[in-house]
């Protein structure tokens, strides 16, 4: 075992002739091999490499001129180079279009010759509408005069050129202005009103509410027709009577000598002649077979809409439908001027002729809150009309819900109007006996 190890050591220290000859061949091959040619190529490349030219130039900055348009710069985001694939043909054709109505809107169209694809870019849509954190300019070097001219880019925007097949109809990018036009004026006003209620100051909210009330007063489409209806609706004699009688007890116009409940509170002195034409919404819904929903109409009206279907006489049906409509406008007017009901009356539109009448009768203050005295007067008007709708035997439970008052708290209002409360089959009903007898005013006891 020891002899082979010694032999190996000798071979390592003293290589044989065969090994020397093989080593010599490898050296010859190395001298004639390819790496020697690569070194020569590298040295040739170093020799043929162009030297960078140095220019001493004079810089000149050119400002924008309103009479001359600045250069338009466009780029291909995909890295496509149309001149490289042009195969020696003519240069590209570039066309610039300007909007007829808006001069600041430009569209650049680059058309490679022999291709069915155009590259289109605009300065008012897409990437050009994003926020810019820097400014861009274009430098032009004139070697002959050794000057470098720096020119601002038009609108400071570099246009992104997107491919479009020529002749195909591609929908344009949505323009913010067109989006705004798609919204109706009512929707836009509602959005602005919501933003005002959420983020504005108290003063701005009060001003916005005043503007809303003015808009509702101008709800009629024709000012002349509005004035004509106002003239026909106002009955000076009725107003004089109402002023002398209503102020005494804070109730609707009444007749103490009436022999029937219908004449105790004359309906023509509550709803004037020219106002009936603006109370046809319930009648039209009934005629079309549509249902009245609680979000648009009070529960009192919704629960009694079936009565209109059983009335055969057209005039009588219009009369009852007009009473339902008048009750609706009174309830919504009260909700508009209260904290707990303003959301339910947000989208309700009161005709201008009625809104003006309600504002003058119930003395709307600057704070948009109805005074307690005028709020009680409005409630009395509603209760009298409910008596007409129920043939003077009215259940106060649902109208109390609409007025946001407890049914028990509503009883003094009926008594103040001269009504009597009777119970039939465990249901409390308000009736109106004639002639009218009002309760004696209660005096506070002295302590």
């Amino acid at each position: 075992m020891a002899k082979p190890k010694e032999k190996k050591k000798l071979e390592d220290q003293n290589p044989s002739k065969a090994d020397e000859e093989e080593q010599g061949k490898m050296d010859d091959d190395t001298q004639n091999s390819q790496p020697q040619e690569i070194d020569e190529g590298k040295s040739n490349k170093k020799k043929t490499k162009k030297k960078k030219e140095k220019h001493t130039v004079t810089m000149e900055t050119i400002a924008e001129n309103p009479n001359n348009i600045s250069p338009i710069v466009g780029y291909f985001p995909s890295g496509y180079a149309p001149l490289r694939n042009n195969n020696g043909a003519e240069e590209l054709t570039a066309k610039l279009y300007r909007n007829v109505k808006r001069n600041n809107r430009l569209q650049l169209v680059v058309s490679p010759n022999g291709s069915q694809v155009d590259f289109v870019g605009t300065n008012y849509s897409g990437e050009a509408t994003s926020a810019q954190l820097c400014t861009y300019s274009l430098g032009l070097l004139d070697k002959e005069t050794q000057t470098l001219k720096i020119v601002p880019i038009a609108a400071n925007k570099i246009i992104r050129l997107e491919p479009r097949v020529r002749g195909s109809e591609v929908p344009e990018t949505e323009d913010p202005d067109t989006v705004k036009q798609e919204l109706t004026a009512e929707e836009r006003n509602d959005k602005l009103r919501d933003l005002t209620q959420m983020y504005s100051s108290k003063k701005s909210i009060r001003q916005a509410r005043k503007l809303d009330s003015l808009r509702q007063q101008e709800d009629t489409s024709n000012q002349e027709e509005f004035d004509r209806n106002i003239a026909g609706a106002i009955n000076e004699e009725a107003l004089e009577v109402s002023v002398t009688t209503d102020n005494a007890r804070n109730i609707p116009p009444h007749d103490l000598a009436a022999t029937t409940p219908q004449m105790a509170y004359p309906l023509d002195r509550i709803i004037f002649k020219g106002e009936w034409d603006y109370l046809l919404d319930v009648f039209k819904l009934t005629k079309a077979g549509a249902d009245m929903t609680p979000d648009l109409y009070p529960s009192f009206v919704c629960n009694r809409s079936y009565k209109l279907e059983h009335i055969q006489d057209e005039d009588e049906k219009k009369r009852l439908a007009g009473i339902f409509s008048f009750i609706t406008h009174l309830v919504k007017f009260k909700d508009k001027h209260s904290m707990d009901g303003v959301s339910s009356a947000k989208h309700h539109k009161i005709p201008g002729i009625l809104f003006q009448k309600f504002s003058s009768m119930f003395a709307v203050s600057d704070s948009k809150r109805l005074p307690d005295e005028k709020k009680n007067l409005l409630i009395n008007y509603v209760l009298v009309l409910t008596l007409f709708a129920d043939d003077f035997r009215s259940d106060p439970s649902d109208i109390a819900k609409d007025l946001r008052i407890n049914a028990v708290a509503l009883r003094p209002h009926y008594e103040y109007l001269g009504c009597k409360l009777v119970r039939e089959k465990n249901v409390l009903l308000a009736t109106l006996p004639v002639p009218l007898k009002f309760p004696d005013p209660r005096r506070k006891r002295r302590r």
Side-chain angles (χ1 to χ4, degrees), residues 186-208:
E186 184 177 354
E187 292 174 347
R188 183 174 179 275
N189 291 335
D190 290 340
K191 288 187 176 182
L192 291 175
R193 192 181 299 109
D194 293 338
L195 291 173
T196 302
Q197 292 288 340
M198 293 173 62
Y199 302 110
S200 296
S201 61
K202 292 182 179 179
K203 182 179 179 181
S204 299
I205 293 174
R206 288 197 299 268
Q207 291 177 350

mmCIF file with all atom_site columns, all heavy atoms in Angstrom, residues 186-208:
data_model
loop_
_atom_site.group_PDB
_atom_site.id
_atom_site.type_symbol
_atom_site.label_atom_id
_atom_site.label_alt_id
_atom_site.label_comp_id
_atom_site.label_asym_id
_atom_site.label_entity_id
_atom_site.label_seq_id
_atom_site.pdbx_PDB_ins_code
_atom_site.Cartn_x
_atom_site.Cartn_y
_atom_site.Cartn_z
_atom_site.occupancy
_atom_site.B_iso_or_equiv
_atom_site.pdbx_formal_charge
_atom_site.auth_seq_id
_atom_site.auth_comp_id
_atom_site.auth_asym_id
_atom_site.auth_atom_id
_atom_site.pdbx_PDB_model_num
ATOM 1   N N   . GLU A 1 186 ? -83.096 69.478 -11.617 1.00 0.00 ? 186 GLU A N   1
ATOM 2   C CA  . GLU A 1 186 ? -83.623 69.107 -10.304 1.00 0.00 ? 186 GLU A CA  1
ATOM 3   C C   . GLU A 1 186 ? -82.618 68.263 -9.523  1.00 0.00 ? 186 GLU A C   1
ATOM 4   O O   . GLU A 1 186 ? -82.408 68.485 -8.317  1.00 0.00 ? 186 GLU A O   1
ATOM 5   C CB  . GLU A 1 186 ? -84.936 68.346 -10.488 1.00 0.00 ? 186 GLU A CB  1
ATOM 6   C CG  . GLU A 1 186 ? -85.630 67.992 -9.187  1.00 0.00 ? 186 GLU A CG  1
ATOM 7   C CD  . GLU A 1 186 ? -86.957 67.304 -9.426  1.00 0.00 ? 186 GLU A CD  1
ATOM 8   O OE1 . GLU A 1 186 ? -87.370 67.222 -10.605 1.00 0.00 ? 186 GLU A OE1 1
ATOM 9   O OE2 . GLU A 1 186 ? -87.564 66.849 -8.448  1.00 0.00 ? 186 GLU A OE2 1
ATOM 10  N N   . GLU A 1 187 ? -81.984 67.284 -10.205 1.00 0.00 ? 187 GLU A N   1
ATOM 11  C CA  . GLU A 1 187 ? -80.995 66.436 -9.527  1.00 0.00 ? 187 GLU A CA  1
ATOM 12  C C   . GLU A 1 187 ? -79.792 67.259 -9.083  1.00 0.00 ? 187 GLU A C   1
ATOM 13  O O   . GLU A 1 187 ? -79.236 67.040 -7.999  1.00 0.00 ? 187 GLU A O   1
ATOM 14  C CB  . GLU A 1 187 ? -80.552 65.309 -10.460 1.00 0.00 ? 187 GLU A CB  1
ATOM 15  C CG  . GLU A 1 187 ? -81.647 64.300 -10.758 1.00 0.00 ? 187 GLU A CG  1
ATOM 16  C CD  . GLU A 1 187 ? -81.228 63.272 -11.790 1.00 0.00 ? 187 GLU A CD  1
ATOM 17  O OE1 . GLU A 1 187 ? -80.178 63.490 -12.460 1.00 0.00 ? 187 GLU A OE1 1
ATOM 18  O OE2 . GLU A 1 187 ? -81.921 62.263 -11.939 1.00 0.00 ? 187 GLU A OE2 1
ATOM 19  N N   . ARG A 1 188 ? -79.374 68.186 -9.941  1.00 0.00 ? 188 ARG A N   1
ATOM 20  C CA  . ARG A 1 188 ? -78.223 69.009 -9.585  1.00 0.00 ? 188 ARG A CA  1
ATOM 21  C C   . ARG A 1 188 ? -78.544 69.893 -8.372  1.00 0.00 ? 188 ARG A C   1
ATOM 22  O O   . ARG A 1 188 ? -77.721 70.031 -7.453  1.00 0.00 ? 188 ARG A O   1
ATOM 23  C CB  . ARG A 1 188 ? -77.836 69.882 -10.778 1.00 0.00 ? 188 ARG A CB  1
ATOM 24  C CG  . ARG A 1 188 ? -76.601 70.739 -10.545 1.00 0.00 ? 188 ARG A CG  1
ATOM 25  C CD  . ARG A 1 188 ? -76.200 71.449 -11.831 1.00 0.00 ? 188 ARG A CD  1
ATOM 26  N NE  . ARG A 1 188 ? -75.049 72.292 -11.623 1.00 0.00 ? 188 ARG A NE  1
ATOM 27  C CZ  . ARG A 1 188 ? -75.109 73.539 -11.173 1.00 0.00 ? 188 ARG A CZ  1
ATOM 28  N NH1 . ARG A 1 188 ? -76.293 74.073 -10.898 1.00 0.00 ? 188 ARG A NH1 1
ATOM 29  N NH2 . ARG A 1 188 ? -74.017 74.252 -11.002 1.00 0.00 ? 188 ARG A NH2 1
ATOM 30  N N   . ASN A 1 189 ? -79.741 70.470 -8.341  1.00 0.00 ? 189 ASN A N   1
ATOM 31  C CA  . ASN A 1 189 ? -80.121 71.298 -7.200  1.00 0.00 ? 189 ASN A CA  1
ATOM 32  C C   . ASN A 1 189 ? -80.223 70.472 -5.922  1.00 0.00 ? 189 ASN A C   1
ATOM 33  O O   . ASN A 1 189 ? -79.854 70.942 -4.835  1.00 0.00 ? 189 ASN A O   1
ATOM 34  C CB  . ASN A 1 189 ? -81.463 71.989 -7.486  1.00 0.00 ? 189 ASN A CB  1
ATOM 35  C CG  . ASN A 1 189 ? -81.348 73.044 -8.559  1.00 0.00 ? 189 ASN A CG  1
ATOM 36  O OD1 . ASN A 1 189 ? -80.271 73.601 -8.777  1.00 0.00 ? 189 ASN A OD1 1
ATOM 37  N ND2 . ASN A 1 189 ? -82.440 73.324 -9.245  1.00 0.00 ? 189 ASN A ND2 1
ATOM 38  N N   . ASP A 1 190 ? -80.708 69.231 -6.049  1.00 0.00 ? 190 ASP A N   1
ATOM 39  C CA  . ASP A 1 190 ? -80.805 68.368 -4.870  1.00 0.00 ? 190 ASP A CA  1
ATOM 40  C C   . ASP A 1 190 ? -79.424 68.033 -4.324  1.00 0.00 ? 190 ASP A C   1
ATOM 41  O O   . ASP A 1 190 ? -79.204 68.023 -3.101  1.00 0.00 ? 190 ASP A O   1
ATOM 42  C CB  . ASP A 1 190 ? -81.548 67.077 -5.217  1.00 0.00 ? 190 ASP A CB  1
ATOM 43  C CG  . ASP A 1 190 ? -83.027 67.331 -5.488  1.00 0.00 ? 190 ASP A CG  1
ATOM 44  O OD1 . ASP A 1 190 ? -83.525 68.388 -5.049  1.00 0.00 ? 190 ASP A OD1 1
ATOM 45  O OD2 . ASP A 1 190 ? -83.660 66.497 -6.139  1.00 0.00 ? 190 ASP A OD2 1
ATOM 46  N N   . LYS A 1 191 ? -78.458 67.765 -5.216  1.00 0.00 ? 191 LYS A N   1
ATOM 47  C CA  . LYS A 1 191 ? -77.100 67.456 -4.761  1.00 0.00 ? 191 LYS A CA  1
ATOM 48  C C   . LYS A 1 191 ? -76.456 68.668 -4.093  1.00 0.00 ? 191 LYS A C   1
ATOM 49  O O   . LYS A 1 191 ? -75.808 68.545 -3.049  1.00 0.00 ? 191 LYS A O   1
ATOM 50  C CB  . LYS A 1 191 ? -76.249 66.995 -5.945  1.00 0.00 ? 191 LYS A CB  1
ATOM 51  C CG  . LYS A 1 191 ? -76.613 65.598 -6.434  1.00 0.00 ? 191 LYS A CG  1
ATOM 52  C CD  . LYS A 1 191 ? -75.640 65.122 -7.494  1.00 0.00 ? 191 LYS A CD  1
ATOM 53  C CE  . LYS A 1 191 ? -75.936 63.701 -7.913  1.00 0.00 ? 191 LYS A CE  1
ATOM 54  N NZ  . LYS A 1 191 ? -74.956 63.198 -8.912  1.00 0.00 ? 191 LYS A NZ  1
ATOM 55  N N   . LEU A 1 192 ? -76.647 69.832 -4.700  1.00 0.00 ? 192 LEU A N   1
ATOM 56  C CA  . LEU A 1 192 ? -76.093 71.043 -4.090  1.00 0.00 ? 192 LEU A CA  1
ATOM 57  C C   . LEU A 1 192 ? -76.747 71.330 -2.741  1.00 0.00 ? 192 LEU A C   1
ATOM 58  O O   . LEU A 1 192 ? -76.084 71.769 -1.796  1.00 0.00 ? 192 LEU A O   1
ATOM 59  C CB  . LEU A 1 192 ? -76.298 72.242 -5.032  1.00 0.00 ? 192 LEU A CB  1
ATOM 60  C CG  . LEU A 1 192 ? -75.484 72.227 -6.332  1.00 0.00 ? 192 LEU A CG  1
ATOM 61  C CD1 . LEU A 1 192 ? -75.878 73.412 -7.206  1.00 0.00 ? 192 LEU A CD1 1
ATOM 62  C CD2 . LEU A 1 192 ? -73.991 72.272 -6.037  1.00 0.00 ? 192 LEU A CD2 1
ATOM 63  N N   . ARG A 1 193 ? -78.045 71.052 -2.640  1.00 0.00 ? 193 ARG A N   1
ATOM 64  C CA  . ARG A 1 193 ? -78.745 71.279 -1.380  1.00 0.00 ? 193 ARG A CA  1
ATOM 65  C C   . ARG A 1 193 ? -78.222 70.334 -0.301  1.00 0.00 ? 193 ARG A C   1
ATOM 66  O O   . ARG A 1 193 ? -78.033 70.732 0.855   1.00 0.00 ? 193 ARG A O   1
ATOM 67  C CB  . ARG A 1 193 ? -80.247 71.080 -1.590  1.00 0.00 ? 193 ARG A CB  1
ATOM 68  C CG  . ARG A 1 193 ? -81.093 71.564 -0.418  1.00 0.00 ? 193 ARG A CG  1
ATOM 69  C CD  . ARG A 1 193 ? -82.570 71.332 -0.660  1.00 0.00 ? 193 ARG A CD  1
ATOM 70  N NE  . ARG A 1 193 ? -83.046 72.056 -1.826  1.00 0.00 ? 193 ARG A NE  1
ATOM 71  C CZ  . ARG A 1 193 ? -83.388 71.483 -2.976  1.00 0.00 ? 193 ARG A CZ  1
ATOM 72  N NH1 . ARG A 1 193 ? -83.312 70.186 -3.120  1.00 0.00 ? 193 ARG A NH1 1
ATOM 73  N NH2 . ARG A 1 193 ? -83.810 72.221 -3.983  1.00 0.00 ? 193 ARG A NH2 1
ATOM 74  N N   . ASP A 1 194 ? -77.967 69.077 -0.684  1.00 0.00 ? 194 ASP A N   1
ATOM 75  C CA  . ASP A 1 194 ? -77.436 68.119 0.290   1.00 0.00 ? 194 ASP A CA  1
ATOM 76  C C   . ASP A 1 194 ? -76.045 68.530 0.762   1.00 0.00 ? 194 ASP A C   1
ATOM 77  O O   . ASP A 1 194 ? -75.723 68.434 1.959   1.00 0.00 ? 194 ASP A O   1
ATOM 78  C CB  . ASP A 1 194 ? -77.380 66.720 -0.329  1.00 0.00 ? 194 ASP A CB  1
ATOM 79  C CG  . ASP A 1 194 ? -78.773 66.179 -0.606  1.00 0.00 ? 194 ASP A CG  1
ATOM 80  O OD1 . ASP A 1 194 ? -79.730 66.671 0.029   1.00 0.00 ? 194 ASP A OD1 1
ATOM 81  O OD2 . ASP A 1 194 ? -78.901 65.283 -1.466  1.00 0.00 ? 194 ASP A OD2 1
ATOM 82  N N   . LEU A 1 195 ? -75.205 68.979 -0.177  1.00 0.00 ? 195 LEU A N   1
ATOM 83  C CA  . LEU A 1 195 ? -73.862 69.409 0.209   1.00 0.00 ? 195 LEU A CA  1
ATOM 84  C C   . LEU A 1 195 ? -73.912 70.633 1.119   1.00 0.00 ? 195 LEU A C   1
ATOM 85  O O   . LEU A 1 195 ? -73.114 70.759 2.063   1.00 0.00 ? 195 LEU A O   1
ATOM 86  C CB  . LEU A 1 195 ? -73.036 69.716 -1.050  1.00 0.00 ? 195 LEU A CB  1
ATOM 87  C CG  . LEU A 1 195 ? -72.664 68.509 -1.924  1.00 0.00 ? 195 LEU A CG  1
ATOM 88  C CD1 . LEU A 1 195 ? -71.994 68.979 -3.204  1.00 0.00 ? 195 LEU A CD1 1
ATOM 89  C CD2 . LEU A 1 195 ? -71.750 67.568 -1.172  1.00 0.00 ? 195 LEU A CD2 1
ATOM 90  N N   . THR A 1 196 ? -74.855 71.531 0.828   1.00 0.00 ? 196 THR A N   1
ATOM 91  C CA  . THR A 1 196 ? -74.988 72.721 1.669   1.00 0.00 ? 196 THR A CA  1
ATOM 92  C C   . THR A 1 196 ? -75.405 72.342 3.080   1.00 0.00 ? 196 THR A C   1
ATOM 93  O O   . THR A 1 196 ? -74.889 72.881 4.061   1.00 0.00 ? 196 THR A O   1
ATOM 94  C CB  . THR A 1 196 ? -76.012 73.682 1.046   1.00 0.00 ? 196 THR A CB  1
ATOM 95  O OG1 . THR A 1 196 ? -75.582 74.030 -0.283  1.00 0.00 ? 196 THR A OG1 1
ATOM 96  C CG2 . THR A 1 196 ? -76.133 74.950 1.865   1.00 0.00 ? 196 THR A CG2 1
ATOM 97  N N   . GLN A 1 197 ? -76.355 71.407 3.181   1.00 0.00 ? 197 GLN A N   1
ATOM 98  C CA  . GLN A 1 197 ? -76.824 70.994 4.508   1.00 0.00 ? 197 GLN A CA  1
ATOM 99  C C   . GLN A 1 197 ? -75.723 70.294 5.302   1.00 0.00 ? 197 GLN A C   1
ATOM 100 O O   . GLN A 1 197 ? -75.656 70.394 6.526   1.00 0.00 ? 197 GLN A O   1
ATOM 101 C CB  . GLN A 1 197 ? -78.022 70.039 4.360   1.00 0.00 ? 197 GLN A CB  1
ATOM 102 C CG  . GLN A 1 197 ? -79.274 70.696 3.812   1.00 0.00 ? 197 GLN A CG  1
ATOM 103 C CD  . GLN A 1 197 ? -79.924 71.627 4.809   1.00 0.00 ? 197 GLN A CD  1
ATOM 104 O OE1 . GLN A 1 197 ? -79.681 71.531 5.993   1.00 0.00 ? 197 GLN A OE1 1
ATOM 105 N NE2 . GLN A 1 197 ? -80.756 72.536 4.329   1.00 0.00 ? 197 GLN A NE2 1
ATOM 106 N N   . MET A 1 198 ? -74.808 69.591 4.606   1.00 0.00 ? 198 MET A N   1
ATOM 107 C CA  . MET A 1 198 ? -73.781 68.806 5.287   1.00 0.00 ? 198 MET A CA  1
ATOM 108 C C   . MET A 1 198 ? -72.563 69.631 5.688   1.00 0.00 ? 198 MET A C   1
ATOM 109 O O   . MET A 1 198 ? -71.996 69.454 6.769   1.00 0.00 ? 198 MET A O   1
ATOM 110 C CB  . MET A 1 198 ? -73.346 67.639 4.388   1.00 0.00 ? 198 MET A CB  1
ATOM 111 C CG  . MET A 1 198 ? -74.425 66.593 4.166   1.00 0.00 ? 198 MET A CG  1
ATOM 112 S SD  . MET A 1 198 ? -73.945 65.358 2.945   1.00 0.00 ? 198 MET A SD  1
ATOM 113 C CE  . MET A 1 198 ? -72.520 64.632 3.760   1.00 0.00 ? 198 MET A CE  1
ATOM 114 N N   . TYR A 1 199 ? -72.129 70.542 4.811   1.00 0.00 ? 199 TYR A N   1
ATOM 115 C CA  . TYR A 1 199 ? -70.821 71.162 5.008   1.00 0.00 ? 199 TYR A CA  1
ATOM 116 C C   . TYR A 1 199 ? -70.842 72.677 5.169   1.00 0.00 ? 199 TYR A C   1
ATOM 117 O O   . TYR A 1 199 ? -69.806 73.261 5.490   1.00 0.00 ? 199 TYR A O   1
ATOM 118 C CB  . TYR A 1 199 ? -69.900 70.812 3.822   1.00 0.00 ? 199 TYR A CB  1
ATOM 119 C CG  . TYR A 1 199 ? -69.724 69.335 3.621   1.00 0.00 ? 199 TYR A CG  1
ATOM 120 C CD1 . TYR A 1 199 ? -70.276 68.688 2.518   1.00 0.00 ? 199 TYR A CD1 1
ATOM 121 C CD2 . TYR A 1 199 ? -68.999 68.567 4.528   1.00 0.00 ? 199 TYR A CD2 1
ATOM 122 C CE1 . TYR A 1 199 ? -70.115 67.328 2.331   1.00 0.00 ? 199 TYR A CE1 1
ATOM 123 C CE2 . TYR A 1 199 ? -68.835 67.213 4.345   1.00 0.00 ? 199 TYR A CE2 1
ATOM 124 C CZ  . TYR A 1 199 ? -69.389 66.594 3.241   1.00 0.00 ? 199 TYR A CZ  1
ATOM 125 O OH  . TYR A 1 199 ? -69.231 65.254 3.066   1.00 0.00 ? 199 TYR A OH  1
ATOM 126 N N   . SER A 1 200 ? -71.967 73.334 4.916   1.00 0.00 ? 200 SER A N   1
ATOM 127 C CA  . SER A 1 200 ? -71.975 74.800 4.953   1.00 0.00 ? 200 SER A CA  1
ATOM 128 C C   . SER A 1 200 ? -72.235 75.312 6.358   1.00 0.00 ? 200 SER A C   1
ATOM 129 O O   . SER A 1 200 ? -72.608 74.574 7.265   1.00 0.00 ? 200 SER A O   1
ATOM 130 C CB  . SER A 1 200 ? -73.031 75.350 3.990   1.00 0.00 ? 200 SER A CB  1
ATOM 131 O OG  . SER A 1 200 ? -72.708 75.014 2.656   1.00 0.00 ? 200 SER A OG  1
ATOM 132 N N   . SER A 1 201 ? -72.039 76.609 6.506   1.00 0.00 ? 201 SER A N   1
ATOM 133 C CA  . SER A 1 201 ? -72.306 77.264 7.778   1.00 0.00 ? 201 SER A CA  1
ATOM 134 C C   . SER A 1 201 ? -73.806 77.475 7.966   1.00 0.00 ? 201 SER A C   1
ATOM 135 O O   . SER A 1 201 ? -74.601 77.304 7.039   1.00 0.00 ? 201 SER A O   1
ATOM 136 C CB  . SER A 1 201 ? -71.579 78.614 7.838   1.00 0.00 ? 201 SER A CB  1
ATOM 137 O OG  . SER A 1 201 ? -72.039 79.462 6.808   1.00 0.00 ? 201 SER A OG  1
ATOM 138 N N   . LYS A 1 202 ? -74.196 77.866 9.179   1.00 0.00 ? 202 LYS A N   1
ATOM 139 C CA  . LYS A 1 202 ? -75.614 78.085 9.458   1.00 0.00 ? 202 LYS A CA  1
ATOM 140 C C   . LYS A 1 202 ? -76.175 79.230 8.614   1.00 0.00 ? 202 LYS A C   1
ATOM 141 O O   . LYS A 1 202 ? -77.316 79.183 8.156   1.00 0.00 ? 202 LYS A O   1
ATOM 142 C CB  . LYS A 1 202 ? -75.810 78.396 10.941  1.00 0.00 ? 202 LYS A CB  1
ATOM 143 C CG  . LYS A 1 202 ? -75.507 77.210 11.854  1.00 0.00 ? 202 LYS A CG  1
ATOM 144 C CD  . LYS A 1 202 ? -75.780 77.572 13.310  1.00 0.00 ? 202 LYS A CD  1
ATOM 145 C CE  . LYS A 1 202 ? -75.500 76.383 14.223  1.00 0.00 ? 202 LYS A CE  1
ATOM 146 N NZ  . LYS A 1 202 ? -75.744 76.723 15.648  1.00 0.00 ? 202 LYS A NZ  1
ATOM 147 N N   . LYS A 1 203 ? -75.344 80.235 8.399   1.00 0.00 ? 203 LYS A N   1
ATOM 148 C CA  . LYS A 1 203 ? -75.797 81.371 7.587   1.00 0.00 ? 203 LYS A CA  1
ATOM 149 C C   . LYS A 1 203 ? -76.051 80.936 6.155   1.00 0.00 ? 203 LYS A C   1
ATOM 150 O O   . LYS A 1 203 ? -77.066 81.326 5.546   1.00 0.00 ? 203 LYS A O   1
ATOM 151 C CB  . LYS A 1 203 ? -74.743 82.479 7.632   1.00 0.00 ? 203 LYS A CB  1
ATOM 152 C CG  . LYS A 1 203 ? -75.137 83.723 6.859   1.00 0.00 ? 203 LYS A CG  1
ATOM 153 C CD  . LYS A 1 203 ? -74.061 84.803 6.971   1.00 0.00 ? 203 LYS A CD  1
ATOM 154 C CE  . LYS A 1 203 ? -74.457 86.036 6.177   1.00 0.00 ? 203 LYS A CE  1
ATOM 155 N NZ  . LYS A 1 203 ? -73.404 87.083 6.261   1.00 0.00 ? 203 LYS A NZ  1
ATOM 156 N N   . SER A 1 204 ? -75.151 80.122 5.600   1.00 0.00 ? 204 SER A N   1
ATOM 157 C CA  . SER A 1 204 ? -75.337 79.642 4.225   1.00 0.00 ? 204 SER A CA  1
ATOM 158 C C   . SER A 1 204 ? -76.551 78.740 4.112   1.00 0.00 ? 204 SER A C   1
ATOM 159 O O   . SER A 1 204 ? -77.275 78.765 3.102   1.00 0.00 ? 204 SER A O   1
ATOM 160 C CB  . SER A 1 204 ? -74.081 78.896 3.771   1.00 0.00 ? 204 SER A CB  1
ATOM 161 O OG  . SER A 1 204 ? -72.953 79.746 3.796   1.00 0.00 ? 204 SER A OG  1
ATOM 162 N N   . ILE A 1 205 ? -76.800 77.934 5.136   1.00 0.00 ? 205 ILE A N   1
ATOM 163 C CA  . ILE A 1 205 ? -77.968 77.051 5.108   1.00 0.00 ? 205 ILE A CA  1
ATOM 164 C C   . ILE A 1 205 ? -79.250 77.876 5.119   1.00 0.00 ? 205 ILE A C   1
ATOM 165 O O   . ILE A 1 205 ? -80.204 77.584 4.389   1.00 0.00 ? 205 ILE A O   1
ATOM 166 C CB  . ILE A 1 205 ? -77.915 76.087 6.305   1.00 0.00 ? 205 ILE A CB  1
ATOM 167 C CG1 . ILE A 1 205 ? -76.731 75.107 6.147   1.00 0.00 ? 205 ILE A CG1 1
ATOM 168 C CG2 . ILE A 1 205 ? -79.221 75.309 6.427   1.00 0.00 ? 205 ILE A CG2 1
ATOM 169 C CD1 . ILE A 1 205 ? -76.513 74.217 7.342   1.00 0.00 ? 205 ILE A CD1 1
ATOM 170 N N   . ARG A 1 206 ? -79.289 78.946 5.944   1.00 0.00 ? 206 ARG A N   1
ATOM 171 C CA  . ARG A 1 206 ? -80.479 79.809 5.968   1.00 0.00 ? 206 ARG A CA  1
ATOM 172 C C   . ARG A 1 206 ? -80.692 80.483 4.621   1.00 0.00 ? 206 ARG A C   1
ATOM 173 O O   . ARG A 1 206 ? -81.822 80.576 4.133   1.00 0.00 ? 206 ARG A O   1
ATOM 174 C CB  . ARG A 1 206 ? -80.342 80.860 7.073   1.00 0.00 ? 206 ARG A CB  1
ATOM 175 C CG  . ARG A 1 206 ? -80.474 80.303 8.483   1.00 0.00 ? 206 ARG A CG  1
ATOM 176 C CD  . ARG A 1 206 ? -80.743 81.426 9.475   1.00 0.00 ? 206 ARG A CD  1
ATOM 177 N NE  . ARG A 1 206 ? -79.654 82.394 9.487   1.00 0.00 ? 206 ARG A NE  1
ATOM 178 C CZ  . ARG A 1 206 ? -78.617 82.335 10.307  1.00 0.00 ? 206 ARG A CZ  1
ATOM 179 N NH1 . ARG A 1 206 ? -78.521 81.331 11.188  1.00 0.00 ? 206 ARG A NH1 1
ATOM 180 N NH2 . ARG A 1 206 ? -77.664 83.252 10.275  1.00 0.00 ? 206 ARG A NH2 1
ATOM 181 N N   . GLN A 1 207 ? -79.613 80.942 3.997   1.00 0.00 ? 207 GLN A N   1
ATOM 182 C CA  . GLN A 1 207 ? -79.742 81.574 2.682   1.00 0.00 ? 207 GLN A CA  1
ATOM 183 C C   . GLN A 1 207 ? -80.221 80.584 1.631   1.00 0.00 ? 207 GLN A C   1
ATOM 184 O O   . GLN A 1 207 ? -81.043 80.928 0.769   1.00 0.00 ? 207 GLN A O   1
ATOM 185 C CB  . GLN A 1 207 ? -78.394 82.175 2.278   1.00 0.00 ? 207 GLN A CB  1
ATOM 186 C CG  . GLN A 1 207 ? -77.979 83.373 3.115   1.00 0.00 ? 207 GLN A CG  1
ATOM 187 C CD  . GLN A 1 207 ? -76.610 83.902 2.743   1.00 0.00 ? 207 GLN A CD  1
ATOM 188 O OE1 . GLN A 1 207 ? -75.880 83.269 1.975   1.00 0.00 ? 207 GLN A OE1 1
ATOM 189 N NE2 . GLN A 1 207 ? -76.255 85.050 3.270   1.00 0.00 ? 207 GLN A NE2 1
ATOM 190 N N   . ALA A 1 208 ? -79.725 79.352 1.708   1.00 0.00 ? 208 ALA A N   1
ATOM 191 C CA  . ALA A 1 208 ? -80.150 78.330 0.746   1.00 0.00 ? 208 ALA A CA  1
ATOM 192 C C   . ALA A 1 208 ? -81.631 78.011 0.900   1.00 0.00 ? 208 ALA A C   1
ATOM 193 O O   . ALA A 1 208 ? -82.356 77.814 -0.085  1.00 0.00 ? 208 ALA A O   1
ATOM 194 C CB  . ALA A 1 208 ? -79.305 77.073 0.917   1.00 0.00 ? 208 ALA A CB  1
#
